[in-house]
Amino acid sequence: MGVQESEPLDVERIREDFPILGRKVGGDVSTPGEGPGDDTPLVYLDNAATSQTPDRVVDAIAEYYRVYNSNVHRGIHSLSQEASVAYEEAHDTVADFVGAEGREEIVFTKNTTEAMNLVAYAWGLEELGPGDEVVLTEMEHHASLVTWQQIGKRTGAAVKYIPVDEQGRLDMDAAAELITDDTRMVSAVHVSNTLGTINPIADLADLAHDHDAYVFVDAAQSVPNRPVDVSDLGADFLAFSAHKMCGPTGVGALYGREHILEEMQPYLYGGDMIRKVTYDDATWEDLPWKFEAGTPNVADGIAFAEACEYLDDVGLERIQAHEQQLTEYAYEELDARGDVTIYGPPADDRGGLVAFNVDGVHAHDLSSIVNDYGVAIRAGDHCTQPLHDKLGVAASARASFYLYNTREEIDVLLEAVDAAVELFA
Ligand code: PLP
């Protein structure tokens, strides 16, 4: 079913899965949920930073600790076996979620950032040298930008950037010129966490593959809210974080094509990734365990899979369509206010977030005023400092939407923005 024809979400029903959305905010933040004056309904619009967690994901964590808490891959007792099966099957679920061939291609990491560092260290440090080039986009998150920058400094490889045009889109003509036989890696964000731009990853992958370069997709802002398939994108690597997709903090995933992961050296050494050790040498476990050294984050890994199943049950296409409607509404209403500057492409061609500035009001002040209305948004550079430099601002405010948000919540945001304008006029 296409996004257009998909059934709308029953948002009121969905909100029941997230008790946190029913809480009030305000008052004394040193006593969470209990401060004096905490009487303002929460409007949570900071989903691009971290999404909320439905009961069934919280329950999956509690069940693990209550019923079968144990180390994995190290015991033949029942609890260890139960935990190992659940943890391993969690990799299958996450693999399915992004269209990977199987668990061999899914390494659980701490988050997107760690997945990027894993490839940068395990592949980049080994493979790159003077004369090689890594091509990024000007809209990369620091997780990718800083990581490849540092690997470039250590290996002598050059880092180049595909420019972003006035509308916040990639200049694909420039990309075609920048990606050459010297390029070894193209690393691009799928949906920009600042501009909302949905990048043409499959086209970038074609360009990269024409020159035998690999493609790393930062899918932190796309896997949570739209169907993502690694084959459709042509991704060689792809990274995402559970905490942005209804899952827990502390776990994320690296997808890597099996043959590439096979050829890569481990990133971390220690228990769980070892097959055989002598005093002189060691051999490694099969994929994906070769990249999961030490006791893994078992509970959160299992809950990560539960979050994928939850999103599948709701339907990614429906979530995408819902977010699209909210985004268009927020964009158009903000845009109609003459004193607001919105960054990135037009309303009908962006992911579920809007970064903006209000004339004469610093993003931090704005964020603080809307907080008085119970609205959680983000203010700052959203880990894209060089992009903000290019936009000519130090910071922006960002509202980001998810499956449980409503138009009425956006109305509260708009009311709060108007109040801020009034205050600073
Ligand atoms: N990439 C993008 C596009 C992001 O939005 C984020 C988080 O904000 C990250 C990477 C880093 O994610 P994490 O902090 O979970 O590693």
Side-chain angles (χ1 to χ4, degrees):
M1 209 188 314
V3 171
Q4 302 309 330
E5 323 124 50
S6 57
E7 283 255 313
L9 293 184
D10 182 351
V11 177
E12 285 315 307
R13 231 296 304 124
I14 286 171
R15 288 177 73 86
E16 289 169 11
D17 298 335
F18 298 83
I20 197 171
L21 297 176
R23 69 160 282 189
K24 307 274 176 40
V25 289
D28 179 4
V29 291
S30 64
T31 51
E34 290 177 10
D38 52 348
D39 53 2
T40 314
L42 169 69
V43 173
Y44 190 78
L45 301 180
D46 194 19
N47 297 287
T50 286
S51 62
Q52 296 303 341
T53 321
D55 272 344
R56 70 186 250 197
V57 173
V58 178
D59 291 347
I61 298 170
E63 192 196 0
Y64 167 78
Y65 284 114
R66 291 210 173 99
V67 183
Y68 60 105
N69 177 22
S70 177
N71 212 317
V72 289
H73 300 150
R74 291 181 192 187
I76 48 169
H77 61 77
S78 299
L79 295 195
S80 179
Q81 285 184 31
E82 284 174 30
S84 299
V85 168
Y87 184 69
E88 288 173 9
E89 286 180 355
H91 288 67
D92 299 337
T93 305
V94 174
D96 265 4
F97 196 72
V98 293
E101 304 244 321
R103 67 173 66 158
E104 298 75 20
E105 297 192 322
I106 294 290
V107 178
F108 279 5
T109 58
K110 202 163 59 178
N111 45 36
T112 303
T113 305
E114 191 180 67
M116 285 167 169
N117 276 270
L118 190 164
V119 173
Y121 278 81
W123 178 86
L125 276 189
E126 290 283 325
E127 292 287 328
L128 296 175
D132 290 332
E133 295 181 354
V134 174
V135 175
L136 309 180
T137 78
E138 283 184 339
M139 63 176 97
E140 290 314 293
H141 189 279
H142 295 166
S144 146
L145 196 152
V146 176
T147 302
W148 288 115
Q149 206 175 54
Q150 292 307 311
I151 295 296
K153 288 184 196 298
R154 286 171 66 167
T155 59
V159 177
K160 302 200 160 168
Y161 298 93
I162 304 168
V164 173
D165 70 16
E166 294 277 291
Q167 279 220 320
R169 295 197 177 92
L170 288 183
D171 178 341
M172 290 301 283
D173 291 335
E177 283 184 18
L178 280 169
I179 299 171
T180 67
D181 286 345
D182 293 331
T183 309
R184 302 289 310 282
M185 174 69 80
V186 175
S187 186
V189 65
H190 189 187
V191 173
S192 162
N193 65 314
T194 298
L195 300 171
T197 317
I198 305 163
N199 283 319
I201 297 293
D203 296 339
L204 283 176
D206 285 345
L207 285 174
H209 292 154
D210 283 349
H211 295 281
D212 293 328
Y214 288 146
V215 175
F216 193 123
V217 184
D218 173 353
Q221 298 295 348
S222 57
V223 167
N225 49 40
R226 62 198 58 237
V228 168
D229 184 291
V230 289
S231 316
D232 292 350
L233 292 178
D236 299 301
F237 299 102
L238 181 135
F240 49 106
S241 298
H243 70 95
K244 294 184 196 288
M245 50 187 288
C246 295
T249 51
V251 65
L254 169 70
Y255 157 81
R257 280 188 208 271
E258 188 175 350
H259 75 94
I260 309 177
L261 292 177
E262 284 291 2
E263 284 160 19
M264 277 163 51
Q265 287 303 306
Y267 169 50
L268 297 172
Y269 297 95
D272 242 38
M273 50 77 69
I274 303 281
R275 175 167 300 156
K276 176 105 183 71
V277 194
T278 66
Y279 283 118
D280 296 320
D281 209 354
T283 57
W284 320 132
E285 260 301 351
D286 291 336
L287 292 173
W289 323 121
K290 171 177 136 184
F291 290 106
E292 294 192 16
T295 300
N297 186 351
V298 184
D300 293 323
I302 292 166
F304 185 9
E306 190 70 31
C308 293
E309 283 169 0
Y310 177 80
L311 292 173
D312 261 342
D313 288 348
V314 176
L316 266 298
E317 285 174 345
R318 296 166 73 209
I319 295 171
Q320 183 184 357
H322 177 71
E323 252 189 57
Q324 177 69 37
Q325 283 168 7
L326 292 178
T327 307
E328 286 187 28
Y329 179 61
Y331 186 106
E332 279 155 16
E333 288 294 321
L334 284 167
D335 200 33
R337 287 155 168 80
D339 32 23
V340 173
T341 306
I342 301 176
Y343 306 104
D348 59 355
D349 183 25
R350 52 162 54 225
L353 59 93
V354 182
F356 62 99
N357 268 307
V358 178
D359 289 351
V361 187
H362 192 280
H364 285 117
D365 292 330
L366 182 73
S367 173
S368 164
I369 291 165
V370 304
N371 184 51
D372 292 341
Y373 285 70
V375 184
I377 60 168
R378 185 136 295 242
D381 58 41
H382 321 306
C383 295
T384 56
Q385 271 180 30
L387 178 65
H388 274 76
D389 286 347
K390 183 173 169 127
L391 295 171
V393 289
S396 59
R398 181 185 70 189
S400 51
F401 315 109
Y402 210 11
L403 71 165
Y404 37 67
N405 289 125
T406 64
R407 275 169 88 103
E408 291 71 30
E409 289 184 308
I410 293 172
D411 288 336
V412 181
L413 168 70
L414 296 167
E415 189 191 340
V417 168
D418 290 341
V421 171
E422 189 104 324
L423 193 73
F424 282 83

